[in-house]
Amino acid sequence: MSNPSANQQASAPPSPSMPSRRRTRSMSGIELPGENLTIEETLRVLDVARELRSRRETAEEMFRRDDIRTNLRKKLLKATEITGDKVTEAEIDMAISQYLAAVHQYHDPKPGFKNVLAHLWVWRDRVLLAAGALTVVAGGLWYFFA
């Protein structure tokens, strides 16, 4: 025999304080946005979220650059007061602008032995393969013609 109190609990409607999603949807008949997204739609939403995050990070970086510029300006003004240099605020602003414009520029390395060694290290696989091939060819020629 079954327990009648257990059947009553199983068939009892959910409490009004904690409505279930099924009960809410079936009662209103309205589908919530984003409830039945396809994979393509989900990926599209994720792309939009990623782009928004990227733009937010770019904006935050721009604000940080302004803060860096302001802090650098204050430090340079304090340094000129301490050293007694006669530098105007306009000259400091110009120097900061020139520094920030040139700080991330690429310059080719000066030619020299270190540069050659760096290139040999980067191309070490190709160099060793070519040297091995030349050794095999030279050994073969010596074997057949000597």
Side-chain angles (χ1 to χ4, degrees):
M1 297 209 170
S2 64
N3 187 355
S5 63
N7 287 339
Q8 287 176 352
Q9 288 176 354
S11 64
S15 67
S17 63
M18 293 178 40
S20 69
R21 288 191 129 185
R22 288 184 186 172
R23 184 171 163 240
T24 305
R25 266 190 268 142
S26 64
M27 289 177 63
S28 65
I30 298 173
E31 185 176 317
L32 298 174
E35 204 168 311
N36 293 322
L37 291 178
T38 63
I39 292 176
E40 292 84 14
E41 290 170 333
T42 303
L43 291 175
R44 198 173 315 141
V45 169
L46 288 174
D47 284 342
V48 169
R50 191 177 304 120
E51 183 64 27
L52 288 173
R53 185 188 73 229
S54 171
R55 288 184 182 185
R56 184 185 72 235
E57 289 172 353
T58 303
E60 288 174 357
E61 184 179 335
M62 295 297 279
F63 287 126
R64 278 184 275 161
R65 285 183 184 170
D66 291 340
D67 290 341
I68 290 170
R69 181 181 220 116
T70 304
N71 291 337
L72 183 59
R73 186 173 186 269
K74 288 177 185 177
K75 288 179 182 179
L76 288 174
L77 285 172
K78 286 181 183 178
T80 57
E81 289 175 9
I82 292 171
T83 59
D85 290 334
K86 305 258 183 198
V87 180
T88 64
E89 292 180 11
E91 291 171 336
I92 288 177
D93 289 336
M94 179 80 66
I96 291 171
S97 297
Q98 288 178 355
Y99 170 75
L100 291 177
V103 73
H104 295 294
Q105 287 183 350
Y106 173 77
H107 300 286
D108 283 330
K110 296 177 183 176
F113 184 67
K114 289 182 179 181
N115 196 6
V116 171
L117 283 178
H119 280 88
L120 287 175
W121 179 254
V122 171
W123 296 335
R124 65 186 178 271
D125 295 336
R126 295 178 195 156
V127 170
L128 290 175
L129 186 63
L134 286 175
T135 304
V136 168
V137 168
L141 289 175
W142 181 69
Y143 178 75
F144 286 121
F145 297 110

